[in-house]
Amino acid sequence: PPQQSGMVVGGGYAPEPESRPHYNRQYQHEPPPPVGLKFIATGTTWRVEAPDKSIYGEVVIPASHEGKSVSSIANFNDCPGITSVVIPNSVTAINGGAFNRSTGLTGIVIPASVATIGGGAFANCNNLYSVTFYGISTVTNGNYDNSTFPGNLGKVYQAGGPGTYVRQPGNPNWTRR
């Protein structure tokens, strides 16, 4: 994408707030949702999705939307332009297949609040080289092999617990840093 003055929000370009004169007046309590994200009500919280598969760059998932917390992530699959994802502490679940085939994803930090990771959540993320787990997450289908994570990450994480795991390009084997 062409270089523009502004900030990348949710994988899309948004001009700096001061270049939007209505910004402070219209959004006094909460900024507008990041570009390219969709929020689905799930009772008293939100599930966030990326129906626009052209979303790119670092995606910052907000902790709340319209006064309710964002508690789960789904449907970021087949988004090859995503390079990293910032997950807030409000998220408790990463749904199955959530990032499947998001081949541009190179690193992710999973906060301690994430209690469950659905099967296939990071399957086919072949360029994922750094994953940090701040807590103990359970893979909902109990499958810690490469159907949920690339290479042997699931098995290494299951044995090693929270921490940062890395691998070299082309190498399926992960190590705890």
Side-chain angles (χ1 to χ4, degrees):
Q3 293 289 69
Q4 299 175 344
S5 174
M7 59 185 168
V8 173
V9 180
Y13 172 80
E16 293 291 351
E18 54 273 3
S19 66
R20 294 180 282 164
H22 65 281
Y23 181 84
N24 291 329
R25 185 175 63 253
Q26 187 175 359
Y27 306 109
Q28 290 179 8
H29 301 289
E30 190 172 297
V35 176
L37 299 185
K38 180 178 179 181
F39 297 86
I40 310 294
T42 58
T44 60
T45 64
W46 295 104
R47 178 180 70 236
V48 66
E49 300 183 350
D52 179 357
K53 302 305 179 186
S54 64
I55 192 169
Y56 63 90
E58 179 178 73
V59 175
V60 178
I61 296 173
S64 65
H65 177 68
E66 296 180 357
K68 296 192 299 185
S69 69
V70 174
S71 65
S72 62
I73 300 171
N75 197 23
F76 280 78
N77 57 304
D78 296 310
C79 293
I82 295 175
T83 56
S84 64
V85 179
V86 177
I87 300 174
N89 288 328
S90 62
V91 171
T92 59
I94 299 172
N95 293 11
F99 294 97
N100 186 20
R101 293 181 306 275
S102 290
T103 56
L105 187 60
T106 59
I108 193 161
V109 175
I110 300 174
S113 61
V114 174
T116 58
I117 300 173
F122 298 96
N124 303 301
C125 291
N126 298 328
N127 293 311
L128 187 60
Y129 300 117
S130 175
V131 178
T132 299
F133 296 93
Y134 276 106
I136 301 294
S137 298
T138 301
V139 175
T140 55
N141 68 354
N143 191 352
Y144 285 90
D145 66 13
N146 65 1
S147 68
T148 297
F149 299 99
N152 69 344
L153 175 59
K155 290 181 180 180
V156 173
Y157 164 68
Q158 186 181 25
T164 297
Y165 296 84
V166 296
R167 69 178 177 139
Q168 296 299 312
N171 185 346
N173 298 315
W174 291 78
T175 57
R176 188 162 191 246
R177 191 182 321 167

